[in-house]
Coordinates of all heavy atoms in Angstrom, one line a residue:
P305 N 4.5 -32.1 -3.1 CA 3.3 -32.7 -2.5 C 2.6 -33.6 -3.4 O 2.7 -33.5 -4.6 CB 2.5 -31.4 -2.2 CG 2.9 -30.4 -3.2 CD 4.4 -30.7 -3.4
W306 N 1.8 -34.5 -2.8 CA 1.0 -35.4 -3.6 C -0.4 -34.8 -3.8 O -1.2 -34.6 -2.8 CB 0.8 -36.7 -2.9 CG -0.1 -37.7 -3.6 CD1 0.2 -38.5 -4.6 CD2 -1.4 -38.0 -3.2 NE1 -0.9 -39.3 -4.9 CE2 -1.9 -39.0 -4.1 CE3 -2.3 -37.5 -2.3 CZ2 -3.2 -39.5 -4.1 CZ3 -3.6 -38.0 -2.2 CH2 -4.0 -38.9 -3.1
V307 N -0.7 -34.4 -5.0 CA -2.0 -33.7 -5.2 C -2.8 -34.6 -6.3 O -2.2 -34.8 -7.4 CB -1.9 -32.3 -5.8 CG1 -3.2 -31.6 -6.0 CG2 -1.0 -31.5 -4.8
N308 N -4.0 -35.0 -5.9 CA -4.7 -35.9 -6.8 C -6.2 -35.7 -6.5 O -6.7 -35.9 -5.4 CB -4.3 -37.3 -6.6 CG -5.1 -38.3 -7.5 OD1 -5.2 -38.0 -8.7 ND2 -5.6 -39.3 -7.0
F309 N -7.0 -35.2 -7.5 CA -8.4 -35.0 -7.4 C -9.1 -36.2 -8.0 O -9.0 -36.4 -9.2 CB -8.8 -33.7 -8.0 CG -8.1 -32.5 -7.4 CD1 -7.1 -31.8 -8.2 CD2 -8.4 -32.0 -6.2 CE1 -6.5 -30.7 -7.7 CE2 -7.8 -30.9 -5.7 CZ -6.8 -30.3 -6.4
T310 N -9.9 -36.9 -7.2 CA -10.6 -38.1 -7.7 C -12.1 -38.0 -7.5 O -12.5 -37.9 -6.3 CB -10.1 -39.4 -7.1 OG1 -8.7 -39.5 -7.3 CG2 -10.8 -40.6 -7.7
P311 N -12.9 -37.8 -8.5 CA -14.3 -37.7 -8.3 C -15.0 -38.9 -7.8 O -14.6 -40.0 -8.2 CB -14.9 -37.3 -9.7 CG -13.9 -37.8 -10.6 CD -12.5 -37.7 -10.0
D312 N -16.0 -38.8 -6.9 CA -16.7 -40.0 -6.4 C -17.6 -40.6 -7.4 O -17.9 -41.8 -7.4 CB -17.5 -39.6 -5.1 CG -16.6 -39.3 -3.9 OD1 -15.4 -39.8 -3.9 OD2 -17.0 -38.6 -3.0
R313 N -18.1 -39.7 -8.3 CA -19.0 -40.3 -9.4 C -18.8 -39.5 -10.6 O -18.3 -38.4 -10.6 CB -20.5 -40.1 -8.9 CG -20.9 -38.7 -8.7 CD -22.4 -38.5 -8.3 NE -23.3 -39.0 -9.4 CZ -24.6 -39.0 -9.3 NH1 -25.2 -38.4 -8.2 NH2 -25.4 -39.4 -10.2
E314 N -19.1 -40.1 -11.7 CA -18.9 -39.5 -13.1 C -20.1 -38.5 -13.3 O -21.2 -38.8 -12.9 CB -18.9 -40.6 -14.2 CG -18.6 -40.0 -15.5 CD -18.6 -41.1 -16.6 OE1 -18.6 -42.3 -16.3 OE2 -18.6 -40.7 -17.8
A315 N -19.8 -37.4 -13.9 CA -20.8 -36.4 -14.2 C -21.7 -36.9 -15.3 O -21.3 -37.6 -16.2 CB -20.2 -35.1 -14.6
G316 N -23.0 -36.5 -15.3 CA -23.9 -36.8 -16.4 C -23.7 -35.8 -17.5 O -22.7 -35.1 -17.7
K317 N -24.8 -35.7 -18.4 CA -24.7 -34.9 -19.6 C -24.8 -33.4 -19.2 O -24.1 -32.6 -19.8 CB -25.9 -35.3 -20.5 CG -25.9 -34.5 -21.8 CD -27.0 -34.9 -22.7 CE -27.1 -34.1 -24.0 NZ -28.2 -34.5 -24.8
D318 N -25.7 -33.1 -18.3 CA -25.9 -31.7 -17.9 C -24.9 -31.3 -16.8 O -24.8 -31.9 -15.8 CB -27.3 -31.4 -17.4 CG -28.4 -31.7 -18.5 OD1 -28.1 -31.4 -19.7 OD2 -29.5 -32.2 -18.1
I319 N -24.1 -30.2 -17.1 CA -23.1 -29.8 -16.1 C -23.5 -28.5 -15.5 O -23.8 -28.4 -14.3 CB -21.7 -29.7 -16.8 CG1 -21.4 -30.9 -17.6 CG2 -20.6 -29.3 -15.8 CD1 -21.2 -32.2 -16.8
L320 N -23.5 -27.4 -16.2 CA -23.8 -26.1 -15.7 C -24.3 -25.1 -16.8 O -23.7 -25.1 -17.8 CB -22.5 -25.4 -15.0 CG -22.6 -24.0 -14.6 CD1 -23.6 -23.8 -13.5 CD2 -21.2 -23.4 -14.2
T321 N -25.4 -24.4 -16.5 CA -25.9 -23.4 -17.4 C -26.0 -22.1 -16.6 O -26.6 -22.0 -15.6 CB -27.3 -23.9 -17.9 OG1 -27.2 -25.1 -18.6 CG2 -27.9 -22.8 -18.8
V322 N -25.4 -21.1 -17.2 CA -25.5 -19.7 -16.7 C -26.2 -18.9 -17.6 O -25.9 -18.8 -18.8 CB -24.0 -19.2 -16.4 CG1 -24.1 -17.7 -16.0 CG2 -23.3 -20.0 -15.4
D323 N -27.3 -18.2 -17.1 CA -28.1 -17.4 -18.0 C -28.3 -16.0 -17.6 O -28.9 -15.7 -16.5 CB -29.5 -18.1 -18.0 CG -30.5 -17.4 -19.0 OD1 -30.0 -16.9 -20.0 OD2 -31.7 -17.5 -18.8
R324 N -27.7 -15.1 -18.3 CA -27.8 -13.6 -18.2 C -27.6 -13.1 -16.7 O -28.3 -12.3 -16.2 CB -29.2 -13.1 -18.6 CG -29.4 -13.3 -20.1 CD -30.9 -13.0 -20.5 NE -31.7 -14.1 -20.0 CZ -33.1 -14.1 -20.2 NH1 -33.7 -13.1 -20.8 NH2 -33.8 -15.0 -19.7
L325 N -26.5 -13.6 -16.2 CA -26.1 -13.1 -14.8 C -25.5 -11.7 -14.8 O -24.7 -11.4 -15.7 CB -25.0 -14.0 -14.2 CG -25.4 -15.4 -13.6 CD1 -24.2 -16.0 -13.0 CD2 -26.4 -15.1 -12.5
S326 N -26.0 -10.9 -13.9 CA -25.5 -9.5 -13.7 C -25.2 -9.3 -12.2 O -26.0 -9.8 -11.4 CB -26.4 -8.5 -14.2 OG -26.6 -8.6 -15.6
Y327 N -24.1 -8.6 -12.0 CA -23.8 -8.3 -10.6 C -23.0 -7.0 -10.5 O -22.0 -6.8 -11.2 CB -23.0 -9.5 -10.0 CG -22.6 -9.3 -8.5 CD1 -23.5 -9.4 -7.5 CD2 -21.2 -9.0 -8.2 CE1 -23.1 -9.1 -6.2 CE2 -20.8 -8.8 -6.9 CZ -21.8 -8.8 -5.9 OH -21.4 -8.6 -4.6
S328 N -23.3 -6.2 -9.5 CA -22.6 -4.9 -9.2 C -22.1 -4.9 -7.8 O -22.8 -5.5 -6.9 CB -23.5 -3.7 -9.5 OG -23.8 -3.6 -10.9

Side-chain angles (χ1 to χ4, degrees):
W306 176 83
V307 182
N308 182 48
F309 302 107
T310 304
D312 289 339
R313 63 180 297 185
E314 184 179 350
K317 181 180 178 182
D318 296 326
I319 307 297
L320 171 65
T321 301
V322 174
D323 185 28
R324 292 172 293 178
L325 276 185
S326 293
Y327 177 75
S328 296

